[in-house]
Amino acid sequence: MRLDLESLKDIKVWEKAGIALPEFNLAAVREQTHRQPTWLHLGAGNIFRAFPAAVLQQMLDKGEYDTGLVVAECFDGDIIERAYTPYDSLSILSVLKSDGSVENKVIASVVEALRCDGECPEDDARLQEILTKKSLQMVSMTITEKGYAIMDPAGNSLSFIERDIDAPPQFAKTTIGKLTAGLYARFQQGGAPIALVSMDNCSHNGDKLRAAVLYFAEGWREGGYVSKEFIQYLLDPKRVAFPISMIDKITPRPDENVAAMLKEIGFEYASPFVTRKGTYTAAYVNAEETEYLVVEDCFPAGRPPLEKAGIYFVDRETVDKAEKMKVCTCLNPLHTALAVLGCLLSHTKISEEMQDEDLNKLVHRIAYQEAMPVVVDPGFLSPADFAQEVLEKRFPNPFMPDTPQRIATDTSQKLSIRFGETLKAYDASEKLNPKDLRCIPFVLASWLRYLMAINDELEDFTPSADPMLDEMQSKLSFLKIGATVKEEELTEVLEREDIFGIDLVKLGLAPIITSYLNEMLQGEHAVRKALQKLLAE
């Protein structure tokens, strides 16, 4: 069973395999999209295919929309070359449900896939052409939080960003650089309105995108490449909007067990692969069934009616509350706790960790006892119900091949939001005292122990990628198994607001974090013993 437009004509083969086919007229949608694209997406990774592309397919199948998606990948072009082009931009979505069933469907809402990493000049030209189309209403993106970075942790502009800014816009190589160059071309051709929608899992993602675009534009203005009127165009929310959003859907790397299942039912190209830049992908994507996308309803050129497919469009304040509820209380901090301790305790699946009585108790305590007292309630979603779904249904799902090692990626970039906002709320409260916290400081101490790259059996392991890994390991190189650390030795690290979101020394948490870390350093299985001691209190 092949995956291409021609093979979809053999409906009986797909029905026999139990893989649902698109119900809309593919040829008509592809023609309409090529002539008048309305939605461009940057970032061709797994979350895009599992969520935005799948949501649009629902609307196309119901006849509620007639235009598909164009996707461009500006960083890792091998994704397009190997996961899109051979399959006519089609993919298989395997939804792994908590009851053990799997729902397979062909996603065909992506009608054009562009490789814009410099290897295909014609695709770069097509991207710029699309960005000038008056029909284009929105550009969304999933490029990870690192994709918006302008400065390094020390506050210096990144060298590859400066290279883009030092050259004319048409020579931009970065994703944000290419986007901003396209916006300049759009401005030059009349300045049609547009919305730029970050769908990345980071706080105030739209603000991060806006700041990055303006950084490029201001740099080019100073270099004489663009006019001040272009800056004014970008600053006018009635012409260029940067909505914030909250996205929630767990989409792990393509799993070998899912591949085996697809091969068993006759799919020929199920084997996952890793690109030269380290992206794990395949012709299929596996994901959980639960999904949320809450978007600030700010679209000066209009938008597809995605609310008909379950997307929430609300005001900015409500998005902010929903994002804080998820990222600071009900999901992300629990994920990070499981990630760090999962690596230390040699777990390889999040679902297995939820069968670990100690870790299960820990994340329940973080959610309900420590974070929930300062949770931000968005109003349309119940924080308690959301957390219950996470802890009782989503994380324990044994069919979700998500790993603590994947979640542990870039932990230094996540702690300030996932725990820092709760710590700030405690600090600002007249009724709550941050010194009464126990589980959150334990997780922060666990991260320091994790940076040693030695698990609880005293075996070496490879920490997940993190832009601050080398720096933090260097600063904590004095940590040794069996040793006792003095509080002042950790001061330089614990006062880092850029990592923790707040100065932990001034907050008064340095003594308890030091104490927990020392417990974890006392030989084999010390992390487990420290965790059990904490839970017995």
Side-chain angles (χ1 to χ4, degrees), residues 147-158:
Y148 307 96
I150 298 299
M151 306 289 181
D152 64 19
N156 303 310
S157 57
L158 296 166

Side-chain angles (χ1 to χ4, degrees), residues 226-239:
V226 305
S227 65
K228 65 178 182 181
E229 287 77 15
F230 174 53
I231 307 297
Q232 293 168 353
Y233 168 67
L234 296 176
L235 291 173
D236 184 353
K238 294 181 179 179
R239 303 174 76 187

